[in-house]
């Protein structure tokens, strides 16, 4: 149990002293960029899915008749 507590203590110490954290303004800017690209990627995926749906429906209707 002592090893686990020591590991956690050292991990927090390293996070405080050795990690360089991003500034608040840059963090907000990067968060907005990620959110915008996530929405664009979701819309692109939705659009491609809709196109494939139409194509598959047309193929099945062609084969059915």
């Amino acid at each position: 149990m002592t090893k686990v507590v020591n590991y956690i203590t050292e991990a927090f110490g390293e996070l405080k002293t050795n990690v360089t954290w991003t500034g608040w303004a840059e963090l907000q800017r990067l968060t907005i960029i990620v959110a915008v690209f996530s929405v664009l990627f979701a819309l692109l995926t939705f659009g491609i899915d809709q196109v494939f749906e139409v194509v598959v429906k047309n193929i099945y209707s062609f084969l059915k008749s």
Side-chain angles (χ1 to χ4, degrees):
M1 184 69 177
T2 306
K3 289 183 180 183
V4 173
V5 172
N6 190 26
Y7 173 77
I8 293 173
T9 304
E10 288 178 8
F12 276 110
E14 191 161 338
L15 286 172
K16 286 181 182 179
T17 59
N18 296 338
V19 175
T20 306
W21 296 99
T22 306
W24 182 246
E26 186 177 5
L27 181 67
Q28 287 177 329
R29 182 180 64 84
L30 293 175
T31 301
I32 291 170
I33 290 171
V34 168
V36 167
F37 277 105
S38 296
V39 169
L40 290 175
F41 187 73
L43 290 173
L44 178 67
T45 304
F46 176 75
I48 291 172
D49 183 54
Q50 293 300 309
V51 168
F52 279 132
E53 180 182 348
V54 169
V55 169
V56 169
K57 280 184 181 180
N58 288 336
I59 289 172
Y60 279 127
S61 67
F62 175 74
L63 293 174
K64 191 176 181 181
S65 58

